[in-house]
Each structure stands twice: as structure tokens, then as C-alpha cells.
């Protein structure tokens, strides 16, 4: 992972929430929220909350007296999340590093993380921190994307950008979002961090976009791919987006398009 892979700032947070959330995140947020909701934890910590899609899905499923602390490393993402979240006195928003959580030991009944673990510079340390703040018997629930080959739009976007920048292809998608998909490695790292009863489930969904142009714009301008493109060609963002849109249209057709997406959902017990 590079420093730019964690650059969720500038125009990215708003575009990310408006475009990428419905494209690939909402279904998995609903899935993870349902799993947490069945546990009914009195206290919940969310790590890497981003623009709050999981928070919005989870809050209605918890008891009125529940306490929710939603954190993210990037304050601009939390700013969007706070604007999007209906007033809810149960929720506290806080900027925090997942590798050094600012909470006492054994504080929370459950910890969640929606597509954030792949951004941890030190996965085991991130898991140790999640375990540290959990009460005995508490649950850590998170998801990560499966490999790039199992996620149609992301794969097609990376392949298209490789034709735009053949000497230095942007590899953000395969390097980071889809670069942490080996479930045996994940299981071993969780066990090293001290978790027990680790369960892994692969979950498939369909990703739908109103057009190839919309999908291309979402990936190229609403994710850290934007920074990779601009680093290679400062004035080339729109041209690269058009090239990706043309490639997506050739693969998935004109009009509304859809493709397969797959993620792993992991539950570990302290």
C-alpha cells in the first residue's frame, strides 16, 4: 500500500458516498449490519467508518439505549458521515487510528469494520487493538473484498487504465482494496492477535450502475485511483475516465450495466 492509497480527501469523500456507496458498498453494509443487529450489543465501536454507510445501516437495528462510537482515520470522510446521519444521540463520531485506538481495554461489546482492514499498515496490530477494546466474549465483525478477478467492474477498470498508462499502470485496485483476500492469511493473523472462533463466509452480490460512464466516473474520480491518475497525468483525469467508460461499455454494454462482486465476511470472538 502507498500513502496515496489512504488519500480520502478533497473531492473524494462526497463522490465516494454519492456514487461508490450505492454501487458496491450498500449491500454489504446491510449484510454486516444485520449480523451485528442480531447480536444486539449494548456498546459498539466501528473502525474505518468512512462516510457512514455501515453506521446508517446498523443504528436502526440496535436498542434505544445502545452506545455507538464511529471512527475513521480521515476526518473529511467523517465530516460527510455526520452530515448524512440523521440526528441520533447514541452515536459519537471520532477521528481515530485503528492501530492505536484511543479507548480503554474491554470497553465495547462488539467492533465492526466495513472494508477497512485492507488499509491497515499492520494487520495484526489492527486486530490486536480491536481485541483489546472488546469485552471478553465480544465479537469483531468485518469484511474485505475478494480478489480482483471476482469483482467485475474493478477488474475492468484496472485493465482499461493499463491501456491508458501502459508504462506505469495504476494498481490501486489490485494492490489495496482487492489485495487482501487470502482468507487463510486473515484467519492466521486474527489467531495471532488472540482471537478465537474465527468464521469466514464469502458473499456474492451484483453491482449495478446506470451507465458505463457513471461506473467509470465513480471509480476514477471517487476513489484514490483519482490520485494515481493525476500523478501520472495532472490534466488527464477526464480523458482517463472517458477511456475507462468506453472499455466498460464494450464489456458490459450500453445503458444500465451490472457485474458480479464478492467479499469475505469475517466474525471473530474475543
Amino acid at each position: 500500500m502507498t500513502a496515496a492509497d489512504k488519500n480520502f480527501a478533497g473531492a473524494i469523500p462526497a463522490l465516494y458516498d454519492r456514487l461508490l456507496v450505492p454501487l458496491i458498498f450498500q449491500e454489504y453494509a446491510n449484510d454486516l449490519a444485520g449480523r451485528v443487529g442480531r447480536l444486539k450489543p449494548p456498546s459498539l465501536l466501528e473502525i474505518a467508518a468512512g462516510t457512514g454507510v455501515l453506521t446508517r445501516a446498523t443504528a436502526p437495528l440496535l436498542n434505544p439505549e445502545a452506545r455507538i462510537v464511529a471512527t475513521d482515520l480521515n476526518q473529511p470522510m467523517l465530516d460527510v458521515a455526520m452530515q448524512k446521519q440523521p440526528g441520533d444521540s447514541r452515536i459519537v463520531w471520532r477521528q481515530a487510528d485503528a492501530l492505536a485506538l484511543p479507548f480503554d481495554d474491554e470497553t465495547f461489546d462488539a467492533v465492526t469494520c466495513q472494508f477497512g482492514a485492507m488499509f491497515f499498515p499492520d494487520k495484526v496490530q489492527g486486530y490486536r487493538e480491536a481485541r483489546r477494546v472488546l469485552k471478553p466474549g465480544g465479537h469483531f465483525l468485518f469484511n474485505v473484498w475478494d480478489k480482483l478477478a471476482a469483482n467485475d467492474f474493478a477488474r475492468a477498470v484496472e485493465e482499461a487504465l493499463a491501456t491508458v498508462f501502459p508504462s506505469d499502470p495504476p494498481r490501486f485496485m489490485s494492490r489495496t482494496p482487492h489485495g487482501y483476500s487470502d482468507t487463510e492469511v486473515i484467519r492466521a493473523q486474527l489467531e495471532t492477535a488472540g482471537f478465537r472462533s474465527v468464521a469466514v463466509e464469502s458473499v456474492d452480490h451484483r453491482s449495478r450502475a446506470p451507465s458505463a460512464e457513471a461506473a467509470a466516473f465513480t471509480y476514477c474520480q471517487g476513489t484514490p485511483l483519482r490520485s494515481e491518475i493525476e500523478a501520472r497525468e495532472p490534466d488527464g483525469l477526464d480523458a482517463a475516465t472517458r477511456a475507462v467508460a468506453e472499455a466498460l461499455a464494450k464489456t458490459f454494454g450500453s445503458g444500465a450495466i451490472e457485474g458480479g462482486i464478492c467479499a469475505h465476511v469475517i466474525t471473530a470472538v474475543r
Side-chain angles (χ1 to χ4, degrees):
M1 186 174 64
T2 70
D5 290 358
K6 298 182 288 185
N7 182 24
F8 289 88
I12 291 175
L15 291 173
Y16 176 103
D17 187 79
R18 180 166 61 87
L19 302 173
L20 203 63
V21 163
L23 187 66
I24 61 173
F25 289 138
Q26 188 66 61
E27 293 288 352
Y28 288 103
N30 294 343
D31 172 271
L32 203 57
R35 296 168 192 259
V36 179
R38 288 189 286 275
L39 295 172
K40 289 289 189 290
S43 58
L44 171 68
L45 171 66
E46 184 180 348
I47 298 169
T51 59
V53 57
L54 177 59
T55 321
R56 295 192 291 274
T58 304
L61 305 181
L62 300 187
N63 293 329
E65 65 275 11
R67 181 172 65 97
I68 305 166
V69 180
T71 69
D72 196 89
L73 182 64
N74 294 279
Q75 186 62 44
M77 297 288 273
L78 287 179
D79 291 341
V80 172
M82 288 186 281
Q83 293 168 7
K84 295 278 292 186
Q85 180 71 40
D88 191 330
S89 61
R90 298 174 302 167
I91 302 174
V92 174
W93 303 93
R94 184 165 178 179
Q95 191 277 336
D97 184 346
L99 272 61
L101 293 170
F103 307 109
D104 292 337
D105 296 358
E106 301 182 6
T107 298
F108 298 96
D109 297 284
V111 174
T112 59
C113 184
Q114 161 104 325
F115 297 119
M118 56 276 262
F119 292 93
F120 295 173
D122 184 332
K123 308 295 191 292
V124 173
Q125 175 60 21
Y127 297 154
R128 285 195 179 110
E129 279 292 277
R131 183 183 182 279
R132 180 183 65 78
V133 301
L134 273 173
K135 297 176 183 178
H139 290 74
F140 178 33
L141 303 95
F142 66 102
N143 49 24
V144 298
W145 291 114
D146 196 359
K147 57 187 176 296
L148 193 67
N151 289 269
D152 292 340
F153 288 170
R155 182 188 67 249
V157 167
E158 181 156 296
E159 290 173 351
L161 286 173
T163 68
V164 178
F165 302 103
S167 63
D168 185 17
R171 298 296 189 196
F172 167 70
M173 286 296 164
S174 58
R175 181 177 61 247
T176 302
H178 300 279
Y180 185 58
S181 61
D182 188 325
T183 58
E184 291 307 310
V185 168
I186 296 169
R187 184 187 298 276
Q189 290 175 333
L190 284 164
E191 291 172 350
T192 297
F195 281 99
R196 58 185 177 85
S197 302
V198 177
V200 181
E201 180 182 352
S202 297
V203 178
D204 294 299
H205 282 296
R206 301 295 291 174
S207 179
R208 296 177 176 86
S211 66
E213 291 77 11
F217 186 87
T218 299
Y219 277 97
C220 293
Q221 303 200 24
T223 77
L225 264 179
R226 181 188 188 113
S227 300
E228 285 205 309
I229 293 169
E230 291 177 329
R232 288 159 175 76
E233 183 59 58
D235 298 319
L237 182 61
D238 288 340
T241 303
R242 287 193 297 272
V244 170
E246 292 171 3
L248 290 176
K250 287 180 181 178
T251 301
F252 300 101
S254 58
I257 62 173
E258 67 175 74
I261 49 177
C262 184
H264 306 302
V265 182
I266 299 98
T267 302
V269 180
R270 187 188 192 279

